[in-house]
Amino acid sequence: VQLQASGGGLVQAGGSLRLSCAASGRTVSIYDMAWFRQAPGKEREFVAAVRRSGGSTYYADSVKGRFTISRDNTKNTVYLQMRSLKPEDTAVYYCAAALRTILTTIRFPSSYNYWGQGTQVTVSS
């Protein structure tokens, strides 16, 4: 599967953005999907994940209550709605797909088989 992330940009603190991750090559419905982010000089960190059914979602503590991950399997797309953005949310955001994840490792980048190219999110103070 190929993943294409989009929707990043420059926004003021307190603003909102919605990222999209469009899949091609195979249906996204067979994958658990996630968003990660990487700021300059930092390791890639987990942001949010959603099971293939869409029934279970998981969030990093730093974004819980502000970000919402969702998926539309009919459109082969996964979304990350980001609200109340903070300067510390500035990073390149990556979507990722895994054929199967387990709860104990769903937050680890190594659990994911496929990655998109990333989209830059910059939050100004």
Side-chain angles (χ1 to χ4, degrees), residues 3 11 32 41 46 106 109 111:
L3 304 175
V11 64
D32 294 336
F46 172 78
I106 198 169
S111 298

PDB file of all heavy atoms in Angstrom, residues 3 11 32 41 46 106 109 111:
ATOM      1  N   LEU A   3       0.992   5.374   0.830  1.00  0.00           N
ATOM      2  CA  LEU A   3       0.302   6.344   1.669  1.00  0.00           C
ATOM      3  C   LEU A   3       0.740   7.748   1.298  1.00  0.00           C
ATOM      4  O   LEU A   3       1.944   8.007   1.136  1.00  0.00           O
ATOM      5  CB  LEU A   3       0.597   6.089   3.147  1.00  0.00           C
ATOM      6  CG  LEU A   3       0.269   4.697   3.665  1.00  0.00           C
ATOM      7  CD1 LEU A   3       0.729   4.537   5.099  1.00  0.00           C
ATOM      8  CD2 LEU A   3      -1.213   4.412   3.547  1.00  0.00           C
ATOM      9  N   VAL A  11      -0.107  27.489  11.049  1.00  0.00           N
ATOM     10  CA  VAL A  11      -1.300  27.926  11.776  1.00  0.00           C
ATOM     11  C   VAL A  11      -0.874  28.566  13.074  1.00  0.00           C
ATOM     12  O   VAL A  11       0.178  28.234  13.638  1.00  0.00           O
ATOM     13  CB  VAL A  11      -2.239  26.719  12.021  1.00  0.00           C
ATOM     14  CG1 VAL A  11      -1.578  25.685  12.917  1.00  0.00           C
ATOM     15  CG2 VAL A  11      -3.579  27.154  12.553  1.00  0.00           C
ATOM     16  N   ASP A  32      -4.415  -1.514  10.423  1.00  0.00           N
ATOM     17  CA  ASP A  32      -4.474  -0.580  11.539  1.00  0.00           C
ATOM     18  C   ASP A  32      -3.657   0.641  11.109  1.00  0.00           C
ATOM     19  O   ASP A  32      -2.585   0.496  10.510  1.00  0.00           O
ATOM     20  CB  ASP A  32      -3.867  -1.191  12.801  1.00  0.00           C
ATOM     21  CG  ASP A  32      -4.684  -2.365  13.318  1.00  0.00           C
ATOM     22  OD1 ASP A  32      -5.893  -2.438  13.030  1.00  0.00           O
ATOM     23  OD2 ASP A  32      -4.098  -3.221  14.015  1.00  0.00           O
ATOM     24  N   GLY A  41      15.507  17.264  15.506  1.00  0.00           N
ATOM     25  CA  GLY A  41      16.362  16.843  16.596  1.00  0.00           C
ATOM     26  C   GLY A  41      15.738  15.880  17.572  1.00  0.00           C
ATOM     27  O   GLY A  41      16.355  15.524  18.572  1.00  0.00           O
ATOM     28  N   PHE A  46       4.726   8.708  18.684  1.00  0.00           N
ATOM     29  CA  PHE A  46       3.342   8.309  18.431  1.00  0.00           C
ATOM     30  C   PHE A  46       2.403   9.466  18.724  1.00  0.00           C
ATOM     31  O   PHE A  46       2.579  10.187  19.718  1.00  0.00           O
ATOM     32  CB  PHE A  46       3.006   7.116  19.323  1.00  0.00           C
ATOM     33  CG  PHE A  46       1.566   6.717  19.320  1.00  0.00           C
ATOM     34  CD1 PHE A  46       1.049   5.978  18.268  1.00  0.00           C
ATOM     35  CD2 PHE A  46       0.727   7.079  20.365  1.00  0.00           C
ATOM     36  CE1 PHE A  46      -0.279   5.594  18.275  1.00  0.00           C
ATOM     37  CE2 PHE A  46      -0.589   6.704  20.375  1.00  0.00           C
ATOM     38  CZ  PHE A  46      -1.100   5.961  19.326  1.00  0.00           C
ATOM     39  N   ILE A 106       1.378  -0.838  19.883  1.00  0.00           N
ATOM     40  CA  ILE A 106       0.710  -0.009  18.888  1.00  0.00           C
ATOM     41  C   ILE A 106       1.333   1.376  18.793  1.00  0.00           C
ATOM     42  O   ILE A 106       1.200   2.050  17.784  1.00  0.00           O
ATOM     43  CB  ILE A 106      -0.801   0.082  19.185  1.00  0.00           C
ATOM     44  CG1 ILE A 106      -1.572   0.558  17.956  1.00  0.00           C
ATOM     45  CG2 ILE A 106      -1.076   0.955  20.404  1.00  0.00           C
ATOM     46  CD1 ILE A 106      -3.060   0.421  18.074  1.00  0.00           C
ATOM     47  N   PRO A 109       6.920   2.890  16.399  1.00  0.00           N
ATOM     48  CA  PRO A 109       7.067   2.977  14.930  1.00  0.00           C
ATOM     49  C   PRO A 109       7.418   1.643  14.287  1.00  0.00           C
ATOM     50  O   PRO A 109       6.996   1.370  13.161  1.00  0.00           O
ATOM     51  CB  PRO A 109       8.203   3.990  14.763  1.00  0.00           C
ATOM     52  CG  PRO A 109       8.149   4.825  16.000  1.00  0.00           C
ATOM     53  CD  PRO A 109       7.723   3.895  17.093  1.00  0.00           C
ATOM     54  N   SER A 111       6.240  -1.114  14.719  1.00  0.00           N
ATOM     55  CA  SER A 111       5.072  -1.971  14.519  1.00  0.00           C
ATOM     56  C   SER A 111       4.423  -1.762  13.156  1.00  0.00           C
ATOM     57  O   SER A 111       3.556  -2.541  12.763  1.00  0.00           O
ATOM     58  CB  SER A 111       4.027  -1.703  15.612  1.00  0.00           C
ATOM     59  OG  SER A 111       4.533  -2.014  16.892  1.00  0.00           O
TER      60      SER A 111
END
